């Protein structure tokens, strides 16, 4: 394995600064981390010309649109890692990734 750095877009979302970070880190596959939909869209656009192995770390609130955008970015050539913070996020990701899969069973509420 190896370590790869990413810059969190939330720290500074200025596109010229982010492009400078990506350009400077190109030789070490430096990527971006996005925690919201606007950050995700900005990161996808900026990483289009980055090193092909630069990662997009997706670590935000996950609704169907966010997950679908992450999956589409991977299909378009931007390697993305979708971070799961809770096990409860997994059924939505599976459903978005494979709309033909059966809905995940709901967990019974604790009595």
């Amino acid at each position: 394995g190896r370590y790869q750095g990413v810059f969190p877009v939330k720290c500074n979302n200025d596109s010229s600064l982010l492009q400078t970070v990506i350009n400077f880190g190109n030789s070490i596959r430096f990527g971006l981390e996005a925690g919201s939909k606007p950050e995700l869209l900005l990161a996808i656009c900026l990483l289009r010309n980055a090193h092909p192995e630069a990662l997009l770390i997706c670590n935000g609130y996950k609704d169907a649109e966010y997950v679908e955008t992450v999956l589409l970015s991977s299909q378009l050539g931007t390697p993305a890692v979708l971070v799961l913070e809770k096990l409860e996020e997994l059924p939505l990701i599976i459903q978005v990734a494979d709309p033909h899969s059966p809905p995940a069973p709901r967990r019974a509420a604790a009595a």
Side-chain angles (χ1 to χ4, degrees):
R2 66 174 186 249
Y3 291 96
Q4 267 182 259
V6 294
F7 183 84
V9 175
K10 70 181 172 187
C11 290
N12 189 328
N13 63 5
D14 179 83
S15 61
S16 62
L17 176 114
L18 293 171
Q19 192 63 61
T20 300
V21 168
I22 291 167
N23 292 343
F24 185 76
N26 195 46
S27 65
I28 57 171
R29 299 180 289 278
F30 207 79
L32 297 173
E33 184 264 338
S36 68
K37 289 178 202 173
E39 291 174 9
L40 177 59
L41 295 173
L42 178 59
I44 291 168
C45 289
L46 292 172
L47 287 172
R48 287 181 38 220
N49 298 318
H51 190 285
E53 294 178 14
L55 292 177
L56 171 57
I57 304 297
C58 305
N59 191 19
Y61 172 75
K62 291 156 202 72
D63 61 11
E65 186 177 275
Y66 185 91
V67 173
E68 183 178 24
T69 304
V70 171
L71 296 174
L72 289 172
S73 75
S74 291
Q75 292 175 359
L76 294 172
T78 301
V81 176
L82 195 51
V83 176
L84 295 179
E85 296 174 8
K86 299 181 283 188
L87 186 59
E88 291 79 21
E89 294 174 330
L90 187 57
L92 172 66
I93 293 168
I94 292 170
Q95 186 65 41
V96 172
D98 182 8
H100 303 293
S101 68
R106 295 184 182 258
R107 294 173 57 180

